[in-house]
Amino acid sequence: MPVERDDCIVIGVPMTKMARGLNPKLGRMIANMMYVGLLAEILGLDQGKLTKALAQQFKGKARAIELNLEAINLGRAFISENVDISDIPFRIEARDVDDDVFLIEGNEAVALGSHYGGVGLLSWYPITPSSSLAEALIAYIPEIRVDENGDHLCAVIQAEDELAAAGMVVGGGWAGSRATTATSGPGSSLMSECIGLAYFAEIPSVIWDINRTGPSTGLPTRTQQGDLTMLYEASHGDTAHPVLIPGNMEECFEFGWKAFDIAERLQTLVFGFSDLDLGMNRWACKGFEYPETPMDRGKVLRTQAELDAIENYGRYRDVDGDGIPYRTLPGSGLDPILYRGTGHDEDGIYSEKPEVYQALMMRLKRKMDNCRTWLPQPVLREEDEKEVGIIYFGSMENSIQEIDDILEDEIGRKVSQCRVRSLPLSPVVEQFIRDHETVIVLEINRDGQLYGILRRELPNDLIGRVHSAAYSDGLPPRARHYSELIKGVLKEVAE
Amino acid sequence: MSIKLNVIDLPKDDYTGGKSTLCPGCGHDQISTVIINSAWENGLKPEKIAKMSGIGCSSKTPAYFLGKSHGFNTVHGRMPAVTTGAAMGNRDLTFLAVSGDGDSASIGIGQFIHAVRRNLDMVYVLENNGVYGLTKGQYSATAVKGSKKKKGAVNKFQPIDLCKLAVNLGCTFVARSFSGSKKQLTALMKAAMSHKGFALIDVISPCVTFNNNDESLRSYTYVKDNDVELHAYDYIPTYSPIEGVEVPEGEFHDITLFDGSTLRLETIGSDHDPTDAVAAMAALHNAEMEDKHVTGLLYFDPDTSTAIEDQCLVETPLAEVSDDVMRPSASSLEVLNARFRGKD
């Protein structure tokens, strides 16, 4: 079928015939390598690099290397014999190598970060695109998480389902270790009940959601930022959970360990939020930085003397006025209680008293409001003329420069940027919105989920200046889609 | 007046809990008493016990025993998972779990099965009455076929027998008992506490409010009259020398438990070998065919490794390992960075 597009250069190549000519049996399997040869010849890709890549991929299987090389050469020969490439304006040029930069997947970076956070339990249920996070975490245990006898410092359980994976995380946190699981949207849906338990019983827990395209089973091998609202408010009743949103490999690592500090400091469940694009693709990384601070284990009373120093101790009593109570661990024998997901008073005893329930819920809210100023703060890039501000998060980081360039070319002005890195939102985000006349929220979903959260949490006088540019088709964000949406918003605002 | 102390010099008061809010006469309260007595007489350290439960009448009971132990009344059917996570965090704790038939045979049957499969080291007391008490008496998945509760129709469905399931899954300690058989239940409870691995005690515990009528095959009277006991039991703790224990007149044999204590099985009627899984299944099947309840130690396997042993973890509970050991060194990260950069 002929391609009728004026933005394409069409070159017809009898691929199947050529491949069969090379090897009748394996023809179909090597046609793709012929395609590599065609492109390499057109774009001017160095054969030395290709040969090296082949050797790496097939690890010494001489016959396979030879066959694939022949297919590449056949592709190259077709172009040099049949096509005048001087008509084609695309070439590849080698760039100077930055010796310090390497490529790594976001999932591997989170896994490593978790280890440097001292993770003691990984419970997980396989699900694309998060499995590689769990598998990377497991793979590093023999190297960096064993003692001098070779005994492990991190337990791993492949759970029967996500309900159990989340329950194990809660159990691990309750016992005083650092526990985590990795999942994606369908798993987070199942985990909801234990997420509510962790919130209400105040158990430090960490869950990484590597977003794939929803709803339901959705597009399991495609990407999206469609789980954000669900994570922020997961489980029934009034809840809220901190969500950490890395935008690059360095942050995937950093938030990997920091999630545990935050969970233990707040005594609550914390989400890490990544997506298939960030998690399963390889991105440039400048290197991982060792945590600059010791672990923050939060308010844990480990001795009788520490317990005695607190006047009127109760597991859920807000002694310090920051909404965060003190806890003792099972096995310590210190002021034991029966933890519960039912309503409870400041001593952890079951209670249905209206004033007790209401005070508890308000304390939990206070705890969450107080962390807005010390969770990972937004990254700002502000222009002098504060007309248009863009808010975005997560893997959109990889497209923002291109969006910025298109806007500068086509509307003739630069825009300020605010990359959100956590929920609940920092007051810095509110100030950014106050400082700009028009603010547009970019996100990879249909409904504008962060936009919705902003509309709910912003003061009334700011809501009108915030607009949504949300788009999702399963693929990673393309700058053109967003620049057009932004231009549409600006046009609408101008009218 | 001197207060009686146990082997670690603690009074029984250190093992009691709050006042029960269950219906007067509930079988579950008798089980709580057995738990208190067994933990006290075995000399378990209260602070090293973790009480675990799900949701239901049975799962409320950890509030009524072992007030000096931490506990976790989790969510419906998820107690096995929470216990698994907690065990990975602190391997020194003795997990004493209470669940019900709704919790374990319906909403949480998956987690029950997988905890058994992993041989998680815990005592799993199933307080089994065949009905949902907290929601006012609906049949559960363990209700006996042909049984009729106080209100409503005869149960038409095949019950799920968690003991059969457990034997099939290689559960390392499977027992059935009756809340009205205090002596037998106490011996089995103590033995379960001395066992290494998953110890299931399925205790038929009649619901006095919804399932104790004459047409019910789970009423006190019916169970008492149709209880087929496998053996008579004597639990001989590790601290009392076995030579000092009176030898029974009839045939018996002893099982040595993980902590060195002994469970003495005295033969009554036909002898049951608790290491024979097929015999255990046959005993359960035969009892079911005759509308009987077979009680006693059905199956026992002291050799299978536990979930914790399979992890190859350090001896110290992970929750107690110092932070600078749990966090890998800065130099290890330098090595990784160098490798990623192709400079190692």
Side-chain angles (χ1 to χ4, degrees), chain A residues 97-277:
Chain A
V97 176
D98 182 338
D99 276 350
D100 287 338
V101 174
F102 53 87
L103 291 174
I104 195 163
E105 291 176 11
N107 282 350
E108 186 172 351
V110 171
L112 271 174
S114 303
H115 278 312
Y116 284 85
V119 61
L121 170 64
L122 166 72
S123 58
W124 68 296
Y125 187 76
I127 180 171
T128 305
S130 73
S131 302
S132 62
L133 197 169
E135 283 165 343
L137 200 152
I138 294 164
Y140 278 107
I141 290 175
E143 183 178 356
I144 55 174
R145 299 305 305 287
V146 291
D147 72 356
E148 60 281 5
N149 304 318
D151 292 333
H152 293 195
L153 292 157
C154 180
V156 176
I157 295 184
Q158 186 181 317
E160 51 271 35
D161 53 33
E162 286 94 344
L163 305 167
M168 290 174 197
V169 169
V170 172
W174 177 72
S177 78
R178 292 184 150 190
T180 191
T181 184
T183 189
S184 191
S188 294
S189 291
L190 285 178
M191 290 178 182
S192 283
E193 63 174 358
C194 276
I195 290 166
L197 176 64
Y199 176 77
F200 203 37
E202 300 182 65
I203 311 293
S205 316
V206 173
I207 297 176
W208 277 88
D209 182 300
I210 314 302
N211 208 148
R212 69 191 214 185
T213 309
S216 190
T217 309
L219 311 177
T221 58
R222 301 291 183 190
T223 195
Q224 194 173 62
Q225 293 178 324
D227 294 347
L228 189 73
T229 306
M230 170 179 72
L231 302 185
Y232 187 37
E233 303 173 353
S235 207
H236 51 275
D238 292 318
T239 62
H241 318 286
V243 184
L244 310 182
I245 315 170
N248 54 48
M249 296 303 100
E250 293 82 357
E251 287 176 358
C252 281
F253 178 85
E254 180 191 342
F255 294 178
W257 60 263
K258 203 167 261 180
F260 293 112
D261 281 2
I262 295 166
E264 291 200 315
R265 179 166 167 188
L266 279 172
Q267 294 178 23
T268 198
L269 184 140
V270 172
F271 283 105
F273 179 61
S274 170
D275 60 23
L276 183 143
D277 188 22

Side-chain angles (χ1 to χ4, degrees), chain A residues 100 102 115-116 143 145 152 155-157 160 164 167-168 171 175 193 286 288 290 293 297 328 331 337 339, chain B residues 47-48 70-71 73 78 81-82 84-85 111 118 311-312 314 323 326-328 332-333 337 339-341 343:
Chain A
D100 287 338
F102 53 87
H115 278 312
Y116 284 85
E143 183 178 356
R145 299 305 305 287
H152 293 195
V156 176
I157 295 184
E160 51 271 35
M168 290 174 197
E193 63 174 358
K286 295 193 183 79
F288 299 128
Y290 196 70
T293 47
R297 306 306 307 265
T328 64
I337 63 156
Y339 278 69
Chain B
E47 72 273 18
K48 292 296 173 196
H70 267 87
N73 175 201
R78 314 302 171 216
V82 177
T84 305
Q111 296 205 350
R118 294 186 185 101
Q311 290 284 335
C312 307
V314 294
D323 293 351
M326 288 302 277
R327 169 171 284 168
S332 70
L333 188 58
N337 274 326
R339 187 187 307 157
F340 293 141
R341 288 170 178 141
K343 291 177 183 170

Side-chain angles (χ1 to χ4, degrees), chain A residues 403-416:
Chain A
I403 294 170
D404 200 47
D405 289 347
I406 294 175
L407 290 178
E408 198 178 353
D409 280 355
E410 298 183 4
I411 64 171
R413 66 179 160 190
K414 293 188 79 78
V415 296
S416 298

Side-chain angles (χ1 to χ4, degrees), chain A residues 11-65:
Chain A
I11 303 168
V13 185
M15 302 280 281
T16 318
K17 193 176 149 198
M18 282 164 59
R20 280 213 195 100
L22 182 63
N23 186 321
K25 234 167 110 185
L26 301 173
R28 287 176 66 91
M29 284 170 69
I30 51 172
N32 62 332
M33 295 309 288
M34 266 176 29
Y35 191 76
V36 169
L38 296 168
L39 274 181
E41 192 66 16
I42 292 169
L43 300 172
L45 183 61
D46 176 32
Q47 184 56 37
K49 299 265 192 295
L50 276 182
T51 310
K52 195 178 159 194
L54 271 184
Q56 261 177 6
Q57 181 70 26
F58 292 105
K59 291 180 187 133
K61 291 179 196 156
R63 180 69 196 115
I65 294 171

